[in-house]
Amino acid sequence: MLFLNRELTWWAIGSLCFAIASVSSAAGAGGGPILLSVLILVLNLSLDVSSVISPVLITCSMFSVFLTNIKLKHPEDRLQPCINWGLTLFALPVMLIGSTFGVILNQISPSWFINLVLILFLVWGTYKTFFKGVKRYKAETEQLKARIFVTNTIYGRPHIPAKLFLKLVSMWMVLIVVSILKNVFPKCSSLWWLLQVLFWPIIALVYCYYGYLHLQEQVVADLDMSPSKAFGILFTVFFLSALSALCGLGGGSALAVLFSAVFELHPRVMSATCATMVFFSASATTIQFAFLNAVEWDIAIPFMVVMTISAFLGLKAVDYFVKKTHRSSIIVFIVVVMLLVSLVLLSYTGIKHTLSVYNETHELPLFNMDDLC
């Protein structure tokens, strides 16, 4: 534990949760890797307890962000909502499939391999996102010099596609049922594998298809959704989600890099869409843990309140800054900061764990399928 005084430790963790939620709310990422590291290093919780509390706190912060974003319009197209609902339904199922595959790889992979992939992924993501942020910042500077002010007014009552929203909610409910059933069936049993590799992927791809149809119907879309482009997006989402899950990262980190650096969505649309996807996935995990009675509520509840309030305040502060300065690139740079902090914290904890394993066994383990079951 970094602090000897227990009361001081709780104040420190509360302050850190406030800072994490304030920053991650603007980026649209949950901040799970940072939060997990803080719970372990500062509050001295075990990895198992921290892994349960982290999605609960992320659900609270992203719920606050979701309620804010659902009322907003697209900053450059007043006919569209700030949340890209079609992209959410299109990409979220594939993200969850990729995450499932990545978790399986994480369980059979040695720690040294996970750390190596983690460092390479975060370095690549930070590099790509930073230079996309610089590119947008320069474009904004040229617009300001030419006195071309792109409206960043996002307040109003956007049209929310009711049918699409209901499909998203129904997918979320299916996800909860599947998550609970995975813990009911014996691990690695026939029913468990059937659920993992057949039933859930088929259901997810059906919802993905509905999202694709909606994106094609949009009058003004953020992405070119030709069949070849759509397949490329799906593959990229699957690959980055699997990679982030392999490294122990949340899906929000992969989505933030994907939407801002690879597909170059408007930063505010990227933030709102990522936050929505993180909220639905984290809340399903939270309900699963609550059903299994695995949450330490006495520890979680105080920080849940802090995360909810700080996420709302952080998002409002960034929106105010963007409105006053016409520089939405600040959101991209916030993603960069989060990736850098994740790189430092997770590299430290990962390398420390790898060295402890090496000191005990005097060898670096290889892949082992037995670790999965």
Side-chain angles (χ1 to χ4, degrees), residues 76 130-143 150 152 260 264-268 326-333:
E76 294 178 349
F130 175 76
F131 281 102
K132 291 297 181 182
V134 170
K135 179 181 176 181
R136 176 167 283 275
Y137 180 87
K138 290 180 178 179
E140 291 168 347
T141 301
E142 293 300 319
Q143 290 173 351
V150 177
N152 283 289
S260 61
E264 300 186 47
L265 293 183
H266 186 283
R268 195 60 185 86
H326 299 278
R327 290 197 180 274
S328 58
S329 56
I330 183 66
I331 299 174
V332 183
F333 290 122

Side-chain angles (χ1 to χ4, degrees), residues 48-285:
D48 291 339
V49 174
S50 300
S51 299
V52 172
I53 293 179
S54 179
V56 175
L57 302 185
I58 291 172
T59 298
C60 291
S61 63
M62 290 298 103
F63 178 67
S64 177
V65 173
F66 175 71
L67 289 182
T68 302
N69 288 331
I70 202 172
K71 305 173 185 177
L72 306 181
K73 293 185 178 182
H74 194 295
E76 294 178 349
D77 181 6
R78 304 289 292 167
L79 298 176
Q80 300 291 335
C82 191
I83 300 172
N84 192 321
W85 294 101
L87 183 59
T88 300
L89 187 60
F90 177 67
L92 180 58
V94 180
M95 183 197 82
L96 296 173
I97 295 173
S99 296
T100 300
F101 182 71
V103 168
I104 293 175
L105 286 179
N106 178 274
Q107 292 176 331
I108 66 174
S109 301
S111 58
W112 63 265
F113 177 77
I114 295 174
N115 293 328
L116 177 62
V117 176
L118 169 71
I119 293 172
L120 292 176
F121 173 71
L122 288 176
V123 168
W124 171 82
T126 304
Y127 171 83
K128 289 283 292 184
T129 308
F130 175 76
F131 281 102
K132 291 297 181 182
V134 170
K135 179 181 176 181
R136 176 167 283 275
Y137 180 87
K138 290 180 178 179
E140 291 168 347
T141 301
E142 293 300 319
Q143 290 173 351
L144 290 173
K145 286 181 180 179
R147 302 190 66 80
I148 302 174
F149 299 105
V150 177
T151 178
N152 283 289
T153 302
I154 54 180
Y155 297 98
R157 289 188 175 274
H159 169 68
I160 300 173
K163 291 183 179 180
L164 198 67
F165 181 74
L166 290 176
K167 287 187 177 73
L168 192 59
V169 172
S170 65
M171 188 203 70
W172 174 73
M173 296 174 67
V174 171
L175 173 62
I176 293 173
V177 173
V178 170
S179 299
I180 292 174
L181 288 177
K182 283 195 299 184
N183 290 278
V184 172
F185 298 143
K187 194 172 184 180
C188 293
S189 65
S190 299
L191 289 176
W192 188 86
W193 280 112
L194 190 67
L195 198 66
Q196 288 275 54
V197 303
L198 186 62
F199 178 75
W200 168 241
I202 291 175
I203 294 296
L205 289 176
V206 169
Y207 282 103
C208 174
Y209 177 70
Y210 284 132
Y212 172 70
L213 292 179
H214 178 79
L215 285 173
Q216 284 192 317
E217 293 172 358
Q218 281 186 224
V219 178
V220 180
D222 292 288
L223 293 170
D224 168 28
M225 291 306 294
S226 61
S228 58
K229 183 73 173 181
F231 180 80
I233 292 174
L234 288 181
F235 177 80
T236 308
V237 170
F238 175 84
F239 177 76
L240 289 182
S241 299
L243 200 62
S244 63
L246 166 65
C247 300
L249 296 171
S253 301
L255 291 172
V257 173
L258 176 66
F259 290 160
S260 61
V262 180
F263 299 130
E264 300 186 47
L265 293 183
H266 186 283
R268 195 60 185 86
V269 176
M270 175 274 295
S271 170
T273 305
C274 282
T276 302
M277 296 173 70
V278 171
F279 166 66
F280 276 100
S281 60
S283 59
T285 304

